[in-house]
Amino acid sequence: MLNQAIAKLQEIFPAPEVHAHCDGPCGVYDPSAARITAEAVLSMTKKILALEAPNASDKAAYIAYENTLSRYIAIKEEQAQKTKDDLLILWTDYFKPVHLEKYPDLHDTFWKAAKLCSACKVEVSVEHSQELMAAVQKIHTMFWATKERDVAWYTAS
Amino acid sequence: MKWQLRHKHLGDLLLFLIRRRQRFRITGTSMLPLLKPGEEVLVAPVQWRRNQQDGIAPTGQSSGITLDTGDLVVACHPFRPNLRLIKRVIAVRDDQTYLLMGDNPEAGASTDSRSFGAVPPSHILGKVICRFP
């Protein structure tokens, strides 16, 4: 009876919230997001390098070329930034001091991977894009090892 | 260790009515399996008094609230002051700061002292006393 009255009151006047908090849906961290965006960076880098400039006298072709190039560049920069954001979230939110004991080069790995994101954003470098993919793969391996799960590395392309 | 949290007694209700207890509603899952999202708890506010011998010590007005390892507390996130957290005290350190952790055993499920470090007493708002109702 008393408890029913309390339950009724709770419905009408909800208490202030306390968070049994997680950064997002609990436990849902996955380096695959960084893998997909890093792959996009590599793909855009290759596409930019493969693009042939048309003769400047053909105005329509030239505009189409400029448009395509601009789009490739915009996507490459956007995906490089996304890769960096995803890696930083894993670094600062998922990985904890206990993991550092097992992987002493954890900070160095993330720091270098983040720097590679910046390099790929600024440059048109297949070499750096491939190094970024390798860094993401290393993080993938480290991540799933902390969860004691064997998740195979794969790429979409 | 299996943690438990009792249901309220009539005395808790009276203390709530005279505003010695605050209600809070749980969101999030880091305190599973003990506390589910949507459940409410009653919390005794902790007030901190600077004590010349022992540094800072909790005083719970006349109610004698003490904080020990294993207690559930409501605390402010050290870097996000508007975020109130509910966590368990897993250690009280010599400098009177507290290590807080979520109960949920799923690795990575809880944002707690493993990511934000020890919490100073000024950030502990209260001790969880019981479920409500």
Side-chain angles (χ1 to χ4, degrees):
Chain A
M1 175 69 185
L2 183 60
N3 284 356
Q4 280 171 359
I6 290 171
K8 195 77 199 162
L9 276 172
Q10 283 175 320
E11 269 177 43
I12 304 168
F13 306 106
E17 291 183 340
V18 279
H19 294 257
H21 183 73
C22 322
D23 282 321
C26 283
V28 182
Y29 292 99
D30 191 335
S32 67
R35 192 263 303 160
I36 292 167
T37 50
E39 253 192 282
V41 172
L42 178 59
S43 164
M44 286 301 128
T45 303
K46 285 177 177 168
K47 277 177 187 277
I48 291 167
L49 290 169
L51 209 55
E52 291 290 345
N55 193 320
S57 61
D58 186 346
K59 193 182 170 197
Y62 197 75
I63 288 171
Y65 163 77
E66 287 276 359
N67 181 53
T68 305
L69 181 61
S70 306
R71 289 179 49 110
Y72 287 171
I73 293 170
I75 294 167
K76 176 176 72 68
E77 298 209 359
E78 176 198 85
Q79 299 295 310
Q81 184 62 43
K82 273 191 180 172
T83 310
K84 194 201 258 182
D85 293 342
D86 278 332
L87 292 179
L88 294 185
I89 288 168
L90 287 176
W91 188 10
T92 56
D93 297 357
Y94 172 74
F95 282 97
K96 304 204 159 63
V98 283
H99 300 135
L100 190 60
E101 287 164 21
K102 201 169 164 198
Y103 300 99
D105 64 341
L106 185 130
H107 288 334
D108 201 48
T109 303
F110 273 100
W111 184 50
K112 283 180 177 152
K115 286 205 165 292
L116 278 168
C117 294
S118 309
C120 292
K121 187 177 169 185
V122 174
E123 304 161 0
V124 185
S125 165
V126 172
E127 188 194 345
H128 282 157
S129 310
Q130 282 166 343
E131 281 176 23
L132 176 60
M133 282 298 286
V136 172
Q137 183 174 1
K138 186 176 175 188
I139 288 164
H140 163 101
T141 308
M142 223 153 60
F143 176 89
W144 290 112
T146 63
K147 290 188 166 265
E148 291 172 357
R149 279 178 56 184
D150 186 21
V151 175
W153 168 258
Y154 68 95
T155 57
S157 53
Chain B
M1 190 188 299
K2 185 155 171 59
W3 299 108
Q4 290 182 331
L5 186 65
R6 66 174 177 82
H7 286 269
K8 64 134 189 42
H9 300 150
L10 204 54
D12 300 311
L13 191 59
L14 293 174
L15 286 166
F16 171 67
L17 291 174
I18 61 165
R19 294 171 174 247
R20 291 284 176 83
R21 297 287 182 267
Q22 291 175 310
R23 281 167 61 200
F24 285 104
R25 181 179 292 250
I26 314 294
T27 69
T29 55
S30 81
M31 294 310 288
L32 286 176
L34 185 73
L35 293 169
K36 296 173 189 66
E39 285 191 291
E40 287 194 15
V41 291
L42 288 182
V43 171
V46 186
Q47 282 159 3
W48 300 91
R49 178 186 56 193
R50 204 159 272 289
N51 174 320
Q52 286 189 334
Q53 273 93 47
D54 311 324
I56 196 164
T59 63
Q61 296 178 334
S62 54
S63 49
I65 302 296
T66 58
L67 278 185
D68 280 314
T69 302
D71 288 341
L72 287 178
V73 293
V74 171
C76 281
H77 190 295
F79 309 124
R80 295 164 68 185
N82 295 325
L83 187 65
R84 274 188 305 257
L85 304 172
I86 179 164
K87 298 289 165 195
R88 190 177 299 283
V89 178
I90 55 155
V92 185
R93 304 204 306 182
D94 290 343
D95 63 355
Q96 287 293 313
T97 59
Y98 295 83
L99 290 178
L100 307 181
M101 232 162 110
D103 281 358
N104 194 333
E106 169 65 28
S110 172
T111 303
D112 51 35
S113 286
R114 288 173 297 174
S115 51
F116 53 65
V119 177
S122 55
H123 283 62
I124 309 273
L125 302 176
K127 174 175 166 174
V128 178
I129 302 298
C130 59
R131 294 170 192 276
F132 187 63

